[in-house]
């Protein structure tokens, strides 16, 4: 391909987006130049503002423009209940369900000693100081059901118990609306051994 | 979903990219904030520069930062031969083959009266002035083999003939490496009726 230098640079820069390869980046760049220059300028402005001004909430570490996020400052939310998740997107997913009315804490990762991610990197010291205030009565561990996610959940559960906080873990099993035929055997085995009495 | 206002605005702005829906835009925004703030800033800069400085070559209408593009100013290219395409991307695709050494003209569209796109919108007056200079000996019509593309090719062919310019059309038929089983019947019918003597 032979494009003008600026166009080549734009295509290269677009590749930083997840899931965007050379062909998609090229299509995006040409689309913006042909039909969306205003949109391109607006995107540049929003990118700049977001990269410069979005930070983590001091309290729960979710993305926020202010020192404390909306959820942390809300007086309508149950501050005795704390849901612990790995990523900011998980907060959005749980909020979407509309069922949870407690507060959150985002680890921004999970324990992974091989990658050099220990308790300090996932904010355990901050979490400990929250626990020590004696306001939290129950934590819900909503880390992902992967090996690292489980290890992280176990680590935090042990920590919370030293503060006499009730610990729960979100339920794992067959997703609603799916068919047993397509479920992996690990999940199915877990669903059988964790069956509930009806 | 409940994100901070700036984050919501970034997600909305990312949706101007082709093929990017709400979920993908959200994933892109969170990815940039989590792992790629430098990349995000660089993308903003390249977007701004590209949107501001990339224009169309005065001569052939391909994307260029200069008044005349590299191909138009090149002395190594055959200026008796003109390949006419619909979009700037088509120039890149033909350049990639490495077989074509003539010049180009980009229509930036195709005749489509129902959408209000007539000869003026696709630069026919500029093309006419190129023809009238008497330098071009042959044009290769490389518009897409769609109804509008064929109509556009036919229109330009008629125009070129009034200037006694030789007119050719890129070949249509079975793509190399494909199997007849998977080819649509229109293409197959065309390939049979346009068969070449070997």
């Amino acid at each position: 391909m032979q494009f003008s230098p600026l166009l080549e640079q734009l295509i290269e820069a677009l590749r930083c987006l997840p899931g965007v390869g050379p062909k998609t980046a090229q299509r995006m760049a040409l689309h913006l130049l042909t039909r969306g220059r205003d949109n391109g300028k607006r995107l540049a402005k929003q990118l700049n503002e977001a990269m410069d001004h979005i930070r983590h909430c001091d309290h729960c570490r979710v993305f926020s423009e202010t020192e404390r996020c909306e959820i942390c400052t809300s007086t309508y939310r149950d501050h005795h209940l704390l849901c612990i998740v790995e990523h900011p997107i998980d907060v959005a997913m749980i909020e979407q369900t509309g069922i949870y009315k407690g507060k959150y804490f985002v680890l921004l990762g999970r324990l992974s000693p091989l990658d050099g991610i220990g308790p300090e990197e996932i904010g355990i010291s901050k979490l400990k100081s929250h626990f020590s205030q004696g306001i939290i009565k129950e934590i819900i561990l909503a880390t992902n059901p992967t090996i690292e996610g489980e290890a992280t959940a176990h680590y935090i559960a042990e920590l919370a118990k030293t503060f006499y906080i009730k610990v729960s873990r979100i339920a794992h099993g067959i997703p609603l609306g799916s068919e047993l035929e397509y479920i992996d055997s690990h999940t199915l085995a877990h669903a059988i051994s964790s069956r509930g009495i009806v």
Side-chain angles (χ1 to χ4, degrees), chain A:
Chain A
M1 296 284 166
Q2 285 187 338
F3 292 112
S4 70
L6 271 184
L7 188 45
E8 286 285 359
Q9 285 161 31
L10 175 60
I11 292 170
E12 187 51 42
L14 279 164
R15 292 193 54 193
C16 73
L17 297 170
V20 174
K23 273 271 171 189
T24 312
Q26 185 180 297
R27 195 160 62 92
M28 285 175 167
L30 292 169
H31 174 91
L32 286 176
L33 285 168
T34 316
R35 275 187 288 267
R37 295 212 180 206
D38 291 346
N39 286 336
K41 293 286 286 179
R42 194 164 67 93
L43 176 55
K45 180 174 156 278
Q46 292 302 343
L47 273 169
N48 263 329
E49 288 196 8
M51 298 304 129
D52 288 342
H53 300 302
I54 295 179
R55 40 171 290 169
H56 294 284
C57 167
D58 272 354
H59 202 70
C60 74
R61 316 218 296 173
V62 81
F63 284 124
S64 171
E65 286 130 72
T66 47
E67 218 168 283
R68 292 249 170 150
C69 73
E70 225 173 275
I71 295 173
C72 282
T73 50
S74 167
T75 51
Y76 294 105
R77 311 218 35 147
D78 184 356
H79 56 279
H80 299 307
L81 197 57
L82 187 75
C83 180
I84 298 171
V85 297
E86 292 183 21
H87 305 291
I89 181 84
D90 304 333
V91 172
M93 296 305 289
I94 295 174
E95 282 298 288
Q96 205 184 14
T97 69
I99 205 174
Y100 181 69
K101 293 295 169 211
K103 307 251 173 171
Y104 291 95
F105 186 82
V106 182
L107 300 169
L108 297 177
R110 52 195 151 192
L111 288 179
S112 178
L114 288 177
D115 301 320
I117 302 172
E120 204 41 57
E121 282 72 24
I122 60 168
I124 294 298
S125 59
K126 180 167 274 183
L127 194 58
K128 220 178 203 168
S129 83
H130 289 351
F131 287 171
S132 66
Q133 287 164 16
I135 300 166
I136 299 161
K137 302 282 177 239
E138 178 182 349
I139 60 167
I140 299 174
L141 295 164
T143 53
N144 293 326
T146 58
I147 293 173
E148 287 107 335
E150 291 294 350
T152 310
H154 180 75
Y155 182 91
I156 297 170
E158 291 303 309
L159 179 72
K161 282 173 192 166
T162 65
F163 290 92
Y164 305 102
I165 293 169
K166 186 177 156 192
V167 178
S168 58
R169 179 95 174 97
I170 50 167
H172 298 129
I174 315 293
L176 303 189
S178 64
E179 297 187 36
L180 291 198
E181 187 182 348
Y182 301 112
I183 298 296
D184 67 292
S185 59
H186 276 93
T187 303
L188 196 51
H190 181 93
I192 292 167
S193 59
S194 308
R195 65 192 177 278
I197 305 293
V198 288

